[in-house]
Amino acid sequence: MLRRLIILALLLAALAALTWAFWPRPIAVETAVIEARDISVTVEEEGKSRIREVFAVSAPIAGQVLRIDLHPGDEVVKNETVVVSLRPAAPGLLDARLKRVAEAAAASARASVGLAQAEVKQAEAQLTFIRTELARAESLSLRGTISERALDKARLDVATAAAALDSAKASLTVRERELQRAEAALIENEASEGPCCTEIKAPATGRVLRVLTESEQVVQAGTPLVEIGDPADIEIMVEVLSRDAVEIKPGAQAVIDNWGGPPLSAKVRRVEPSAVTKVSALGIEEQRVAVILDLADQQGLDALGDGFRVVARITVWEGKNLVAAPVAALFRKGGDWAVYKVADGRAVLSIVELGRRNAAFSEVTAGLASGDVVILHPSDQMADGVAVTPQAAD
């Protein structure tokens, strides 16, 4: 009998131990209290700073630009500081064929000059002879030996010969200029004559941003040489997704951060009306819209330069004194949003309706009230009615 009692006691103890071991225990959970708070929805994107008005100094004509002594950061004054000095470029070298052609043209021009000189001499001799004939005709006319018509004919011959001489001299001048042109075509790699140089002055007051062509070299007309801008005239350009751009309005407030200095206040000045296609790092095509912001803070602008990387957070919506739930408490239940509330030590599944939200909190329009306690990061062990041990979130 005693042996049976001992065995029974052992069986009951084992049964009690198994029951205690497998008895469900409350799940420790992190919780948060629902309370009214302000919510702001922002669009955050990387952007870059840029000087609003950049002046590019280009070569007005083809020529040889002298070495530019200015460096990025140097101050320039409008219409005073000489930015670039440009002089005519030396003529290029001739290949064998072009040189032979130019030499033949020069020889032909010299022959033409000789011919024109001979024609001038002939015209001068003819004029001298006809003037002698005129003098003889005038002497005979005084004695009444020749008629008036013969005298007039002699005078006409003198005028014609004088005109022929003028024509021959003009032709000689033309031939001499042609010779000069032909000889100029033979000039190779010779420094140009005349004053040096054409000076290009700064088109605006500010600082040199970039020197695009520093060394002395031959450039073509329109070649960019120097960029000038005012570092104090800074704006921010951010390219946002087109679906976010539709919510951004001119005048929206923004914060510029992660540029190496303190956060700067800014305001949206313009949302450009057209989008461009950009390919993301994952190879996905995206439609991006440029948003231009003006800086409101002057602090730190001396350090913020042109082309610096920044992060812009643009406010697109703000709500005051709203019932807000942590995003960490929300999860999907079918097609609805849901949370687990804590009531009498147990989890209670609650369907909620949401409004606007940001990365941390979401507006709750139905399903929760201020003072409710919700479970954060519910695990797969969580279910409606499960006992829980609340712990406040850190």
Side-chain angles (χ1 to χ4, degrees):
M1 186 66 181
L2 179 59
R3 184 179 179 181
R4 291 178 179 178
L5 290 175
I6 293 173
I7 293 173
L8 180 60
L10 292 174
L11 292 174
L12 291 175
L15 181 61
L18 290 174
T19 303
W20 180 84
F22 290 99
W23 192 266
R25 295 181 178 83
I27 301 174
V29 294
E30 292 185 359
T31 60
V33 178
I34 300 299
E35 57 186 5
R37 65 176 63 241
D38 298 339
I39 297 179
S40 62
V41 179
T42 61
V43 174
E44 181 173 327
E45 287 287 351
E46 290 187 5
K48 65 178 180 180
S49 62
R50 68 183 187 186
I51 293 178
R52 184 177 288 106
E53 297 291 343
V54 176
F55 296 85
V57 179
S58 303
I61 57 174
Q64 184 174 9
V65 60
L66 303 184
R67 183 174 180 84
I68 298 176
D69 295 329
L70 295 174
H71 298 88
D74 290 350
E75 293 185 358
V76 296
V77 179
K78 182 178 181 180
N79 295 331
E80 292 185 11
T81 306
V82 176
V83 178
V84 176
S85 295
L86 191 70
R87 69 183 179 192
L93 298 176
L94 300 175
D95 58 33
R97 182 178 65 84
L98 292 178
K99 190 169 184 178
R100 293 287 295 275
V101 170
E103 289 174 346
S108 175
R110 291 191 191 96
S112 297
V113 169
L115 177 61
Q117 290 174 344
E119 291 176 348
V120 169
K121 291 180 179 180
Q122 180 181 359
E124 288 176 345
Q126 185 72 18
L127 179 61
T128 301
F129 173 75
I130 293 178
R131 282 177 175 171
T132 302
E133 290 292 318
L134 175 62
R136 185 178 296 111
E138 289 176 343
S139 177
L140 294 175
S141 177
L142 292 176
R143 292 197 295 266
T145 306
I146 63 174
S147 64
E148 287 294 328
R149 184 178 182 283
L151 179 62
D152 291 340
K153 178 64 171 58
R155 290 172 178 170
L156 175 62
D157 291 341
V158 170
T160 302
L165 177 60
D166 292 340
S167 176
K169 290 180 177 180
S171 178
L172 175 60
T173 302
V174 171
R175 301 298 179 232
E176 289 174 343
R177 297 298 179 266
E178 290 177 350
L179 175 59
Q180 292 176 359
R181 183 175 62 183
E183 291 177 341
L186 287 169
I187 297 175
E188 295 181 88
N189 198 25
E190 180 179 316
S192 60
E193 299 179 355
C196 175
C197 301
T198 300
E199 294 183 341
I200 305 174
K201 297 183 179 180
T205 299
R207 293 181 181 272
V208 176
L209 302 180
R210 299 175 187 86
V211 178
L212 305 176
T213 302
E214 182 176 7
S215 300
E216 180 175 335
Q217 58 185 283
V218 176
V219 297
Q220 299 300 316
T223 302
L225 303 174
V226 178
E227 289 185 357
I228 296 173
D230 184 2
D233 190 19
I234 288 284
E235 66 182 9
I236 305 298
M237 193 275 288
V238 182
E239 290 184 340
V240 304
L241 294 173
S242 57
R243 66 170 179 266
D244 294 329
V246 298
E247 296 186 339
I248 300 175
K249 307 299 180 185
Q253 298 298 319
V255 175
I256 307 301
D257 204 355
N258 291 344
W259 60 275
L264 304 174
S265 299
K267 182 181 294 185
V268 175
R269 173 161 54 90
R270 182 175 70 251
V271 179
E272 295 191 354
S274 61
V276 295
T277 301
K278 294 293 183 71
V279 179
S280 69
L282 299 177
I284 301 173
E285 288 190 354
E286 300 173 340
Q287 294 303 114
R288 296 255 173 193
V289 178
V291 178
I292 311 301
L293 301 97
D294 290 328
L295 293 172
D297 290 344
Q298 297 300 319
Q299 180 182 3
L301 289 186
D302 292 340
L304 183 61
D306 182 54
F308 283 30
R309 173 192 173 275
V310 301
V311 173
R313 291 192 294 272
I314 305 171
T315 301
V316 297
W317 182 85
E318 287 184 311
K320 302 293 185 180
N321 200 29
L322 304 175
V323 177
V327 172
L330 301 171
F331 61 92
R332 279 288 188 178
K333 183 67 174 179
D336 299 320
W337 286 101
V339 297
Y340 281 114
K341 293 193 298 185
V342 177
D344 298 329
R346 294 188 177 276
V348 179
L349 179 65
S350 299
I351 303 299
V352 296
E353 295 180 6
L354 305 180
R356 302 297 292 265
R357 66 176 179 175
N358 56 25
F361 292 93
S362 175
E363 176 190 8
V364 179
T365 58
L368 288 176
S370 295
D372 289 342
V373 179
V374 295
I375 297 174
L376 301 178
H377 310 291
S379 66
D380 54 0
Q381 298 178 347
M382 194 62 58
D384 191 20
V386 172
V388 294
T389 302
Q391 296 178 349
D394 296 336

